[in-house]
Every structure is written in structure tokens, then in C-alpha cells.
Amino acid sequence: MLVDSPPEPRAETAPAPPTRRAARALGLLLSVLLLVLVALASIAVGAKALPLDQVWHGLFHETGTYGDVVVDERLARTVLGLLVGAALGLSGAVLQALTRNPLADPGLLGINAGASAAVVTAVTYAGVTSLTGYVWFAFLGASAVGALVWFLGGSRGATPVRLALAGTAISAALYGYLQAVMIMDGAALAKMRFWTVGSLASAGYPTIRQVLPFLAVGMVLALVLARPLNAVEMGDDTARALGAHLDRTRALAMLAAVLLCGAATAACGPIVFVGLMVPHVVRSFTGPDLRWILPYAMVLAPVLLLGADVVGRVVARPAELQVGIVTAIIGGPVFIFLVRRRRTAQL
């Protein structure tokens, strides 16, 4: 998937009509309410059915009963899903703006591949077995690949095409390495089979505490970059004419994407399509202004992720279907639809 041609310049400084701004604000409020409902469903519904009174008791009373333990686990899982979903949505929107490709996702620049390869290496050769142990390897792998893509893409002279090509090449090489190691080492394959498909099942408060600082910095940085990235999306010449600092904006956008996607992948494994679908769908009703796309993506991506997690708990009771599998099942047909619709629009 390569980068499309730059979009036509648009009047970035022209304010939206008051009625449209009000509609966007109302839509964002409704999205927040939807997120609250999905989060409550994530706490109330699980592979193990619990009466609602036990769920309520487990939330507000700590007595050590089985129900309390289950609810505590679901609460940690929900909190991590909220954070990871928001991170994937923001990173996808930032990368789509950075590469000027509305079908880009966090895997385009090799960040997911870097995290996955680092975790497999840690499990196979360093004997790391716990989630809290290899979360740091995942983040370091994502960071290293992000820096390498930035260097190969031209660093200060990086362009969307160079970044996408460098990321695609590195991803292919790393996924080849990953598959080779896991095929040759059965123990590593057994340990990694759930992490590599993406899962919230192993969520815990230690993991949340470890990734929260990186996610918080990445989220703030992404939101602050909304206006500069609006200029970058219009093309280099137009961005320079508007006074944008292209090199600085691209470097900070890469840093935000690495922080968000790296920390999310470290905590849950590579979860596909969330960072692709949500920003692309959001853009269809907010328009191209990242000042609206980013907040919407930050809210609606956790709706998709937690909703998929709830579906995965229900459809395979008493077992669970990993959230990465559910999002892939949903995302495949949606991705085909988006590509076909975009191709039809260009004809």
C-alpha cells in the first residue's frame, strides 16, 4: 500500500460554519456517551456470566469473593482497552496525515513489526516470560524501528513516500525474522501465540502503570500537532507558504506515533485495523480538519476495540476469542469496502 498523490490545497484557516461546528461538537459528545456505555458493557459482560448485582458489588466493595476478583480483572481490562484504543486511533490519524495516505495505519511504518520482533527475541533468547518483562522490549523495538525508518526516509529531508517505502521494507524483513524464529522454537511459539494476535486478556494494573506515561505524552503531543499536520497534509509547498516547520512537525509526528503505537503494542500485541478504520471513517463526517479528526478518533477507536473485546468474550463462551482476531474479521471487509469506494470516487 503506497502513498496516494497529495490532496488539493484547502483553506485551512477558514472557520467552519457555526451550525457545522455545533453538529461536530454534538457528535463528539454523543461519541463520549457511547464510549461510556461500551465501557460499562465491558465491565458487566464477560466469558463468565455474572449477575449485575455481583458486578456492582465487585466495583464498590472489596471482600475477596470470586465475583470481586472477576470484576477487578474486567476493570483493568477495560481501562487498558480505553488507553490502547485511544492510542491506536490517534496514531492512525497522525500517520495518515504524515504520509498523506488516508489508508495508512500504524503498521505502515514498521512500528508493530519492531515491537513484535523485539518481544519474540526477548522470549526466545533472553528467557523473558512475563508481560511486565517484555513490555519494555516491545517498546524499545518499536522505538528503534521508528528511528530507523526516520533515518532511511531521509531524516530532516523525509517525505511521505520515503517514509512509507522504508517502513514497508523494514516490516517485511522483521516479519520474516519473526516467523522464522517462532517456527524453529516451539516454546516461543507457544508463549507468543496469544500476544501476536493482539489480546486484552492479560491486562493488569502493573502493565497499565508501565505504559501510561508513554501513552499520556504521545496523546498530548498528537493533539498539539493537529494544526501543523493540517498544513503538512496540503503538501510541502503549501505548508511552507503557511509558515509550517515541516521537519519539526514530521519528527514530532513520528515521535508521537512511536510512543502511542509502541506502548499500545507492548501492552496488548499488534492489533490490526483499528488505527486504519476509525480515522478513515471519522474523516468521512468531520472533513479533513485534524482538530476534529483526532478527538473523534481518540473516542471512537476505544469504542471499536472494547466492543470487539466484548463480542470476543460472548461468542466463544466459556472460552474467549482474542480481540485482535475480532478486529481483523471486522476490519477485512471494511478495508475492502473503503478501498473500493476510494477507487470508485477516483474514476
Side-chain angles (χ1 to χ4, degrees):
M1 181 172 60
L2 295 180
V3 180
D4 299 319
S5 58
E8 293 296 324
R10 62 181 185 272
E12 189 269 337
T13 57
T19 54
R20 188 173 184 184
R21 290 200 302 270
R24 287 169 171 173
L26 178 60
L28 187 58
L29 177 60
L30 293 176
S31 299
V32 172
L33 293 177
L34 177 61
L35 177 59
V36 172
L37 293 176
V38 174
L40 292 175
S42 178
I43 297 173
V45 179
K48 171 66 176 179
L50 286 178
L52 289 180
D53 60 333
Q54 287 192 30
V55 174
W56 179 267
H57 187 276
L59 282 174
F60 299 102
H61 303 86
E62 296 185 6
T63 60
T65 65
Y66 175 77
D68 297 341
V69 173
V70 170
V71 171
D72 188 59
E73 292 176 352
R74 290 183 190 173
L75 183 60
R77 186 169 181 166
T78 301
V79 171
L80 186 61
L82 289 170
L83 293 171
V84 168
L88 293 176
L90 283 174
S91 62
V94 167
L95 290 175
Q96 288 174 13
L98 179 64
T99 61
R100 296 203 291 270
N101 182 358
L103 296 180
D105 73 341
L108 180 67
L109 299 186
I111 298 172
N112 284 347
S116 300
V119 170
V120 169
T121 301
V123 170
T124 305
Y125 299 110
V128 179
T129 57
S130 66
L131 177 64
T132 55
Y134 59 63
V135 72
W136 295 106
F137 285 91
F139 185 76
L140 289 174
S143 302
V145 170
L148 182 59
V149 168
W150 178 250
F151 174 76
L152 294 178
S155 57
R156 292 180 62 85
T159 64
V161 174
R162 289 178 179 176
L163 291 174
L165 290 176
T168 301
I170 292 173
S171 292
L174 289 178
Y175 277 125
Y177 162 77
L178 187 152
Q179 294 299 325
V181 172
M182 293 179 66
I183 289 174
M184 292 187 295
D185 190 334
L189 177 61
K191 294 173 185 176
M192 297 300 301
R193 65 183 186 276
F194 291 116
W195 188 87
T196 53
V197 299
S199 174
L200 295 173
S202 299
Y205 294 111
T207 302
I208 294 173
R209 286 193 293 268
Q210 285 180 318
V211 300
L212 183 58
F214 302 105
L215 292 175
V217 173
M219 289 177 186
V220 172
L221 185 57
L223 293 173
V224 169
L225 288 173
R227 187 181 293 273
L229 283 173
N230 272 341
V232 170
E233 271 198 304
M234 291 187 287
D236 292 2
D237 293 337
T238 304
R240 291 191 184 96
L242 293 173
H245 299 278
L246 288 177
D247 294 338
R248 184 177 65 187
T249 300
R250 285 175 179 152
L252 291 176
M254 277 289 295
L255 177 60
V258 168
L259 288 172
L260 291 170
C261 189
T265 304
C268 302
I271 298 176
V272 298
F273 286 117
V274 175
L276 164 66
M277 286 190 297
V278 174
H280 192 83
V281 171
V282 164
R283 190 178 290 105
S284 67
F285 58 82
T286 64
D289 191 346
L290 283 160
R291 292 173 296 181
W292 288 101
I293 292 175
L294 292 176
Y296 265 100
M298 187 177 181
V299 173
L300 291 179
V303 171
L304 173 60
L305 186 63
L306 287 177
D309 192 41
V310 171
V311 170
R313 299 181 217 174
V314 173
V315 297
R317 280 179 173 172
E320 291 187 19
L321 197 61
Q322 305 303 313
V323 66
I325 298 175
V326 179
T327 57
I329 293 172
I330 297 172
V334 172
F335 179 72
I336 294 173
F337 169 76
L338 293 177
V339 171
R340 288 183 60 85
R341 188 180 71 169
R342 181 170 178 80
R343 182 180 178 183
T344 302
Q346 291 177 339
L347 293 178

